[in-house]
Amino acid sequence: MGFEIPWDALFGGMLLGLSASLLLMFSGRVAGISGIVSGLLKPVRGEVLWRVLFVIGMISSGLLAAQIGFELPEVLPVSSFFWVGTAGLLVGIGTKIGNGCTSGHGICGMGRLSGRSIVATCVFMAVAIATVFVRMHLL
């Protein structure tokens, strides 16, 4: 049994890093999804177009990848819309409390060696691990 390199994940991670770096270098903005989307909910003049294009790019890139032959991840059924809504609400509250999301802290903040982002990402990961454990083994 040999080790197989997950090429899709490797290239996807490289593209995420490249795009986050380019956004930071050319506009001084951090590629944090919660901040980008919340900027669309409270629009500021001159800030809407790049945010809309960013979100369209995120959605269309997955669709494009499927069209050129990449396999999309399997979507697992959820137990109820109540739990999906609760999870979404908790994620939103968490991004507000943590002053950012996993993309902002995990990709951009850790890349800048921000202590706050390193701590935030460790907390995100610990909570995710605990959530999966509870969901899979206790419920």
Side-chain angles (χ1 to χ4, degrees), residues 25-42:
M25 281 191 320
F26 290 112
S27 71
R29 292 176 174 86
V30 173
I33 306 308
S34 62
I36 291 170
V37 173
S38 69
L40 289 173
L41 300 177
K42 293 183 266 176

Side-chain angles (χ1 to χ4, degrees), residues 97-122:
I97 292 170
N99 199 22
C101 59
T102 51
S103 56
H105 286 299
I107 296 172
C108 301
M110 287 183 60
R112 293 186 336 258
L113 299 177
S114 163
R116 183 178 76 155
S117 290
I118 292 169
V119 170
T121 303
C122 289

Side-chain angles (χ1 to χ4, degrees), residues 67-78:
Q67 293 298 314
I68 47 178
F70 286 94
E71 188 175 327
L72 296 179
E74 180 183 351
V75 177
L76 301 174
V78 294

